[in-house]
Amino acid sequence: MASKKTVSLFIKGMECAACSSRIEKRLNRLPDVEASVNFATEKAQVTFDPSVTQISDIIKIIEKIGYGAIESEKIDSEKQRLLEQKLRKQTLYCFLLALFCSLPFLLQMVMMFFPNHSMAKTESEMPRLIQWGLATIVEFIAGASFFKAAWKSLRSGSANMDVLVVLGTGMAYLYSSIVTFGGFRHLHIYFEASAMIITLVLLGRLLEDMAKNRAGSAMHSLLSLQPPIGHIEEDGHISDVVVSQIQAGNILVIRSGERVPVDGQIVAGESSFDEAMLTGEAMPVVKQAGDTVFAASINKGGAVRIKAIAVGAHTALAGIIRMVEEAQGSKAPIQKLADKIAGIFVPVVIVIAFLTLAVSWLLTESFSSALVSAVSTLVIACPCSLGLAVPTAIMVGTGAGAKKGILIRNVDALERAKNINYLVVDKTGTITEGKPEVATVSCSAGIKEEDLLTVATSLASQSSHPLSQAIASFGRDKDITIFLPDHILEKAGLGVTGTDKNHHKIRMGSLRFLEESGIKIQDSALSQLHQDEHKKESSFVYIARDNQYLGSIALADPVRPTSKKAVERLYDLGIEVAMLTGDNDITAQKIAENVGIRHYKAGLLPEDKANEIQSLKKQGHYVGMVGDGINDAPALAVADVSFAIGAGSDIAIESADIILMKSNLEEVALAISLSRATMQKMKQNLFFAFIYNVLGIPLAAFGFLNPVIAGAAMAMSSVSVVSNSLLLSRWSAFPSGEIK
C-alpha cells in the first residue's frame, strides 16, 4: 500500500466560513482523503493516498464547486504576494465605484436628520430613476462578485455569505424597481439600502483583507528573509545567480552585511552571523571553517566562502516556514463548534428571514416594513466572524511565536499547553548548558592516566552523548591515541560497552551501570575525591576493563544563567517544576537547589522518566516535558505537551510538540504564556461572534435595525474579530522583561 502524501493548496474565492466548511466536507467524502480548510489563511491541508486519489482529482472537485485551487509549492512567495495584491486592488476599485454611486444616497440619509431643511421636505431628494440608475451600477457592477459567488454556491447545492448579501440587497432592489416602474408613488423605495449595504460589505471585505494580511505578517517576513541571489565562485570567477539555481556543492561568497542564501559550511574565512531568524537571539554567533551557517542569517563580519549543503526546500528556514504554515493550517478542537455552526448557519438564516417576511407582513399588513425586517435579518447574519475567530488568533499567535524562536508543530499543542500545571525538565542541556568539560581524571591504584584516557576516549568517540563528546574532545586535546572498539553497544542513560584489540571487555558509564555489570568500586581515596567534586556539581563517568575498575572522569556542566529565572517564572504561572535526571543524586540535589526546583529524582533511565510522567498524569496533573537528548524521547512522547530544546537531538525534536530554538528554559514559560494568551483571544473572538449574531438576528427580525445599519454592523464584525486577534502581537514580554 502506497504511503500517504500531504499537500498544501491555495484556495481562491472563499468568502466566509461556510465556504471553507463546504470545501472541507466535500473533500473528506473522497476515499482515503483527510482535508482541513482554513478560511483565514485561504489554504487547505490535504492528506491522501496517491494510489487511490490524484491531486489533480482533488483540484477538479474544488473547481467544480466553484472555487480555484493550486498547489502552494507551485506559487513562489513573490507570485503569491502579487496575486493577493491584485485581488485587494479589485476589491478596492469595486468599493470606490460603489462609494461614488452611494454618496448621493448617503447625503440623502444625512438630510433626514434635518427635518426643517428644504431638501428634506420632499418625499425623495433625488428622482427615482436616478436612484435606480445609481443602485443598478452598485448592485450589478460593483457588486458583481457577490452574484458570481452566490451562483457558484447555489449551483453546488449550498449557500454562503454571498447568498445572504444577494438575497438581501436583491429583494430591496427588486421591490424598489417594481415600485418605481409601476408608478406606485405612495410606496417607499429602498435603493439606498441595496446600494449602501453592498458598499459597506465591500468596505468590510477590504478592511478584513488588510487585517488578515497583517495577521499573516510573521509568515510574510519569514518568506522575505531569503535573498533573491547568491554569488557562486567557479574557477576564480564570481557570478550572480538566482537562489533557485544554486545546487548543493556550489561554493558561494558571502560578503559583509549580506544574507546567506542557502545552508552551508564555511570553507574559508571567519565571521560572526546574526541568526535571529532561527533562534530569536539577536547576539551574533562567531563562525569559522567547518561551522554551519544557515539561510537568511546575516554576515556581520568579513567575507567568507561557504559550500552549499542544503538548498531550497531543504534549508532550516524552509523547515521553519513549513512548520509554521502547518500549524496555521491545522484546526484547534475549539474550532469544531464554530465550523459546525457556520456550516448550517446560512440556510437557517434564510429560513428565518423568510419567516420574518411572512409573519411581519401578516401582522403589520405592510409588505414594505416586512421587507425591511427580512433584508436586515439577511444582511446582519454573516458567519464570517465565526470563521475568522479561531484561525486569525492562531495565525497571529504562531507567527509571534516563530519570531521569538518558538516553533509550534500543530495548533492542538498550542491549545493543550495552556492546561499545563506540572512541568518536568531534564538536567543536561536543559537546565545546564549541555556543554560539559572534563574537570578531573581520577585513576585507580596502579592505573596510568594515559591508559585510562585511551579506553575512555576510544569508547567516547563512538557515542553521541554530551558527556562522551566532552571526553572525546579532551582526549584529542591530550593527543591520546585511540583505537576502534568492536561490538559497540550503547544503553541510553547508562553507558557504552565494547571490546578492545586484545578482546578485553571495556565499559564506560554511570556507577549503576558498572555495579550492575558486577564491577566493585572500593577505593576510599577516590570516594573522598568524588565527594569533593560532587560539591562542585560535577557529573561522573566510570571506566572499567573486564572486571577491573580503572578510574573515573569528573565533568562539569555549568548551569545556564537563565535557568533560575525561568523556574521562578514558571512558578509565577502556577506551574510546579520537577527535574528528572540520570545523573547521581548529590549532583542533582545541588543543581535543583541552585535553580530553585523543589522536586527532583536522580539516577533515572529513559523508561523511568516516562514512568514518572505517567504517574504524575494518573495523579491528575497536566504534564509538560522539556528535554534535548535521545534519552528524553520516551518521556517527551508520553507527556501531555512536549518541548524540545532546539540545539538538541533530532529524535527529541521529532518527538516534541513545541520546539524552542533558543535552547533556553525561559522559552517554555513564554510558550505557555503564548498558549494562554492565544486561547483567551480565541474565546473572546468566539464570544463576540456568537453574541453579535445572537443579539443581531432578533433585533433585525423584529424591525429594530435599519438594513444599512445592519450592513455596517455585519461588515465591521469580521474586522473587529481580526483586530482583536492582532492584539496578540503585544503578547511577548513587558519592557521590564516580565511575562504577560
Side-chain angles (χ1 to χ4, degrees), residues 218-219 221-227 259-263 276-278 293-297 310-325 402 407 661:
M219 279 303 301
S221 63
L222 283 174
L223 290 167
S224 64
L225 285 175
Q226 193 172 33
R259 287 189 182 272
V260 182
V262 298
D263 289 355
M277 33 62 68
L278 276 176
V293 293
F294 299 99
S297 58
V311 300
H314 303 291
T315 64
L317 176 65
I320 290 174
I321 292 172
R322 275 195 304 273
M323 191 175 294
V324 176
E325 283 183 333
L407 302 183
M661 300 299 290

Side-chain angles (χ1 to χ4, degrees), residues 680-694:
Q680 185 179 32
K681 285 299 174 192
M682 289 183 193
K683 291 176 180 178
Q684 288 173 357
N685 288 347
L686 285 172
F687 173 78
F688 293 148
F690 279 123
I691 202 70
Y692 162 81
N693 284 296
V694 167

Side-chain angles (χ1 to χ4, degrees), residues 571-585:
Y571 283 137
D572 289 342
L573 289 172
I575 299 169
E576 187 59 60
V577 183
M579 182 178 75
L580 303 182
T581 178
D583 210 339
N584 63 80
D585 187 76

Side-chain angles (χ1 to χ4, degrees), residues 411-660:
V411 72
D412 185 46
L414 179 67
E415 182 171 344
R416 285 185 280 114
K418 79 177 193 309
N419 300 319
I420 293 174
N421 58 20
Y422 208 108
L423 185 73
V424 172
V425 298
D426 178 45
K427 179 182 73 68
T428 305
T430 304
I431 294 176
T432 65
E433 293 281 2
K435 298 176 182 177
E437 294 181 351
V438 173
T440 60
V441 178
S442 306
C443 299
S444 186
I447 302 298
K448 295 181 180 180
E449 182 175 303
E450 184 178 355
D451 189 19
L452 171 67
L453 287 176
T454 297
V455 174
T457 307
S458 298
L459 283 172
S461 64
Q462 304 301 308
S463 169
S464 61
H465 193 281
L467 297 182
S468 293
Q469 291 177 354
I471 293 171
S473 177
F474 182 78
R476 285 193 298 269
D477 292 341
K478 290 278 190 179
D479 292 326
I480 297 297
T481 302
I482 66 171
F483 57 87
L484 184 63
D486 292 323
H487 308 107
I488 288 291
L489 177 63
E490 185 169 3
K491 294 185 178 181
L494 283 174
V496 58
T497 63
T499 56
D500 64 14
K501 56 187 177 182
N502 295 318
H503 308 293
H504 294 295
K505 186 85 168 182
I506 51 177
R507 295 177 176 86
M508 181 176 70
S510 66
L511 181 62
R512 173 181 173 181
F513 182 52
L514 264 65
E515 288 180 341
E516 287 181 352
S517 301
I519 298 170
K520 302 297 182 182
I521 300 174
Q522 295 176 341
D523 192 318
S524 57
L526 285 181
S527 297
Q528 182 60 46
L529 180 63
H530 294 167
Q531 188 175 356
D532 293 340
E533 286 295 339
H534 278 315
K535 293 177 182 177
K536 300 176 186 177
E537 302 174 7
S538 295
S539 298
F540 276 85
V541 171
Y542 299 87
I543 302 97
R545 182 169 48 213
D546 290 332
N547 292 322
Q548 182 187 14
Y549 171 59
L550 301 180
S552 64
I553 298 175
L555 300 102
D557 186 9
V559 173
R560 293 183 189 275
T562 55
S563 292
K564 185 173 183 179
K565 185 65 176 178
V567 172
E568 290 175 0
R569 286 181 163 178
L570 287 162
Y571 283 137
D572 289 342
L573 289 172
I575 299 169
E576 187 59 60
V577 183
M579 182 178 75
L580 303 182
T581 178
D583 210 339
N584 63 80
D585 187 76
I586 299 175
T587 301
Q589 180 183 5
K590 189 70 176 176
I591 289 179
E593 288 175 354
N594 284 351
V595 299
I597 292 178
R598 295 189 285 258
H599 305 287
Y600 75 92
K601 285 194 176 182
L604 300 180
L605 298 176
E607 56 267 30
D608 296 331
K609 294 181 182 180
N611 291 336
E612 287 292 332
I613 291 176
Q614 292 281 27
S615 177
L616 287 169
K617 290 170 68 174
K618 289 177 181 178
Q619 294 171 29
H621 296 294
Y622 205 89
V623 184
M625 166 69 188
V626 192
D628 79 318
I630 293 174
N631 60 325
D632 295 322
L636 290 169
V638 300
D640 292 305
V641 184
S642 52
F643 302 84
I645 297 296
S649 71
D650 291 340
I651 293 178
I653 289 173
E654 286 300 317
S655 302
D657 299 310
I658 299 174
I659 300 166
L660 311 173

Side-chain angles (χ1 to χ4, degrees), residues 120-149:
K121 292 180 180 179
T122 59
E123 180 185 351
S124 178
E125 291 76 22
M126 286 187 293
R128 291 192 170 187
L129 283 176
I130 293 179
Q131 291 191 58
W132 173 82
L134 292 172
T136 300
I137 293 173
V138 175
E139 187 81 11
F140 298 109
I141 299 179
S145 61
F146 295 111
F147 284 86
K148 291 177 182 176

Side-chain angles (χ1 to χ4, degrees), residues 705-726:
L705 280 181
N706 179 282
V708 176
I709 301 300
M714 183 271 283
M716 296 311 297
S717 64
S718 297
V719 178
S720 64
V721 164
V722 179
S723 299
N724 187 50
S725 294
L726 286 171

